[in-house]
Amino acid sequence: MQASVKWLDGYRFIGTSDSGHAVVMDGDKQTAATPMEMVMMAAGSCASVDVVSILKKAKQKVSGVEVKLSAERADAVPAVFTKLHLHFVVSGQGVSEKHVERAVNLSAEKYCSVSIMLGKSVEVGHSFEVVEAEF
C-alpha cells in the first residue's frame, strides 16, 4: 500500500491513495478537515463498513448507518488522541439490537483495522442505538 501527500498552499495538502482517490486536508481547518479529523473519520468509516457488511449478511433490513465520533486529545504536544468514542445509529425495519451489538463488537474486536490500531494507544469505546425507520 502506498500514498502521497503534496503541499498545495498555506497549510493545505492533497493526499492521493494507491487507488487514485484524492482528499484535501487543511492544518488550519479553513478549507478542509485536519489530518487528525481525517484519522477520526477513517476509524468511523472503517467500522461502518464492517457494521453494514455484517448486518447485510445477517439479513437485517438496514436503511441507514451513521457513526457519531467524539474524541479527546492530550493537552501537550503532540496532541494525540487519548479517547475516541464511536456511537452507531442504525436505522431500518425490525433491525435486531442483538445483531447490531454483535456487528459493533465484531468490528471493534476483530475487523476494523483503524480503530484496533488506534486502540493500542487510545482508549476506544463503542455504543449504538437502533431507530425504527420506514423504507
Side-chain angles (χ1 to χ4, degrees), residues 61-117:
K61 293 182 181 178
V62 177
S63 60
V65 174
E66 178 181 6
V67 61
K68 297 179 181 182
L69 300 132
S70 58
E72 293 180 20
R73 294 178 70 181
D75 290 331
V77 174
V80 298
F81 289 133
T82 56
K83 292 183 181 178
L84 177 64
H85 189 83
L86 295 84
H87 179 75
F88 293 86
V89 180
V90 178
S91 55
Q93 286 185 322
V95 176
S96 161
E97 285 198 12
K98 185 176 183 176
H99 281 290
V100 174
E101 180 177 30
R102 179 179 176 273
V104 170
N105 287 338
L106 281 170
S107 175
E109 297 166 6
K110 186 174 182 180
Y111 294 117
C112 179
S113 50
V114 178
S115 65
I116 291 169
M117 179 180 64

Side-chain angles (χ1 to χ4, degrees), residues 4-16 23-35 37-38:
S4 68
V5 176
K6 183 178 179 182
W7 179 42
L8 295 173
D9 56 39
Y11 292 104
R12 289 185 332 133
F13 297 82
I14 186 164
T16 305
V23 63
V24 175
M25 296 166 277
D26 188 343
D28 274 345
K29 298 183 187 181
Q30 300 296 313
T31 61
T34 68
E37 289 170 330
M38 296 294 287

